[in-house]
Amino acid sequence: MKNVALHPIALMAVMLAGCATVGNPSLPVSTVAVPQTWSNAATPAASSPHALEQWWRQFNDPLLDELIAMAMTSAPDIRTAQAKLRQARASRDLEVAGLLPSLGVSASATRSRVGTDAGGSGNTQTLYAAGFDASWEPSIFGGQRDTAAGAVADLAASEASLAAAQVSLAAEVALEYITLRTTQQKLAITRDNVASQAETLQITEWRQQAGLTTVLSVEQARTTLEQSRSLIPGIEINRAAAAHRLAILTGQAPGALAGKLSEVKSLPVAPDSMALGIPADTLRQRPDIRAAELKVQAEMARSDAQRADRYPSLTLSGSWGWKAFSATALGGSDAMVGSLLGSLAMNLFDGGRLRARIALQDAVQEQAVIAWESSVLTALEDVENALVDYARSRERLDTRRRAVESARNAAQLARTLFEAGAVDFQQVLDTQRSRLTAEESLATAEGDLLTAVVRLYKAMGGGWQAGISTQDGTS
């Protein structure tokens, strides 16, 4: 008797096994033609693709490693992406749960009077009931499964968006760090030039007192010195702004990193080789493209769900339990009751609402496809631009190094000749200005090369672990 009573629920479980799987729709064919190689001829030498995961370690700067690690756990952008991921996971669980039957338990006691006569007398009875209720709407035409598949794709897209946030954050921290170190180098260069120009002013004043030069030369030397000093506040402002931005990126108050960043250090050294592959490798690596692909899958699944509404829906419900006029009799076999109900429903006329919903969803899907293709083109453009920037930055750095060497030699020679009375003071001033400009340009070129390296790694999608699961959101 017990097996017979469980039959309706067992039947639901059997049907569930065949209908509750969630699939992923295939992507449409993209119209974007991906090139076989990069067009830039000056491509850097390739290294291991694994270097992309934590590319910043190639700079051999422990403080930069620490800052990026702090940002990956505390940055507001990362925390927001993590919250969106949890939201998507909860939505996925909610939609998948809709594929399963619901089971409830109930108990009741109903007191009633039977056979009441004109005098108001009669028998009083109490009916006791206890049992289980189950209901299920099997997705016989796939509508609920498609909705769940869309939620699964949304979850995977959120995971990819979190990875994209990690890529952007690692690059942004590195860029601000490079800006900080570049401004420190410029500040040191300017102060060194100020010290040199102060010495020149002192020498000029001594020569003027000895009648070997004019007051005009003294005033010119003082003007050059003060102009160089006036550059220091602006550089210090930029240095402070970079330090404050680094603190914000790591989820802290603007002045929190003052102690860590106060020590002046040289710029990191740019790597000689880059982890560069073919364009197809970059498209597979970039998480923003993966997120765009998954959003297309999600919209395609929702389009299929809308079309499934054109077909009938089946609802199954069943109950099993006991009813008796005494609580002690509820466990007996004679008190067992059960039922199974199936209903089929279909929309015959809705004034075109369903057709409009399908058209609306098709338009949304088309936009997702266009956004996906646009992300592919943007990725290709990012890498091509970064490659050109990298190659030209190396050339510019080599040129400016030679310029600095010549400017320093010229400044030293002009000062020596001026002290010997062989040249006028204007040449000293000119060579000092040229030296300052050349040294500042060299510091800028060094920072520009590192910036180009960071942007190239970002364009290639470096800075995240590629093994993120698309099912449960765990790494």
Side-chain angles (χ1 to χ4, degrees), residues 61 88 132 189 287 341 361 370 380 391 415:
D61 192 318
F132 301 91
I189 290 169
L341 173 65
Q361 181 57 37
I370 295 171
L380 296 174
R415 181 171 174 175

Side-chain angles (χ1 to χ4, degrees), residues 10 29 36 131-132 146-148 198 207 220 235 246 305 336 347 361 364 369 380 384 392 403:
V29 178
Q36 297 297 317
F132 301 91
D146 291 329
T147 300
R207 289 176 61 82
Q220 286 178 322
I235 299 174
L246 283 171
M336 295 179 65
N347 185 28
Q361 181 57 37
V364 173
V369 172
L380 296 174
E384 293 285 7
R392 301 293 87 80

Side-chain angles (χ1 to χ4, degrees), residues 308-376:
D309 287 344
R310 297 177 299 182
Y311 303 105
S313 61
L314 175 64
T315 302
L316 299 176
S317 61
S319 63
W320 174 73
W322 301 268
K323 287 185 178 182
F325 287 105
S326 66
T328 57
L330 283 178
S333 59
D334 293 339
M336 295 179 65
V337 294
S339 66
L340 176 64
L341 173 65
S343 64
L344 197 64
M346 180 177 179
N347 185 28
L348 295 180
F349 178 75
D350 63 358
R353 295 182 183 86
L354 178 58
R355 185 170 60 254
R357 287 198 299 267
I358 292 174
L360 176 63
Q361 181 57 37
D362 285 345
V364 173
Q365 176 183 318
E366 182 181 1
Q367 294 174 55
V369 172
I370 295 171
W372 168 45
E373 294 176 343
S374 177
S375 68
V376 172

Side-chain angles (χ1 to χ4, degrees), residues 46-98:
S47 62
S48 171
H50 296 293
L52 279 174
E53 293 180 357
Q54 292 185 322
W55 51 263
W56 53 88
R57 293 191 178 276
Q58 298 181 48
F59 290 146
N60 296 316
D61 192 318
L63 181 55
L64 176 59
D65 298 343
E66 180 184 352
L67 292 173
I68 292 180
M70 293 168 61
M72 288 298 181
T73 58
S74 303
D77 289 348
I78 293 296
R79 291 161 55 200
T80 298
Q82 289 171 338
K84 290 181 178 179
L85 178 59
R86 292 192 295 270
Q87 177 185 357
R89 185 176 296 118
S91 297
R92 184 275 313 267
D93 294 342
L94 182 63
E95 295 297 342
V96 172

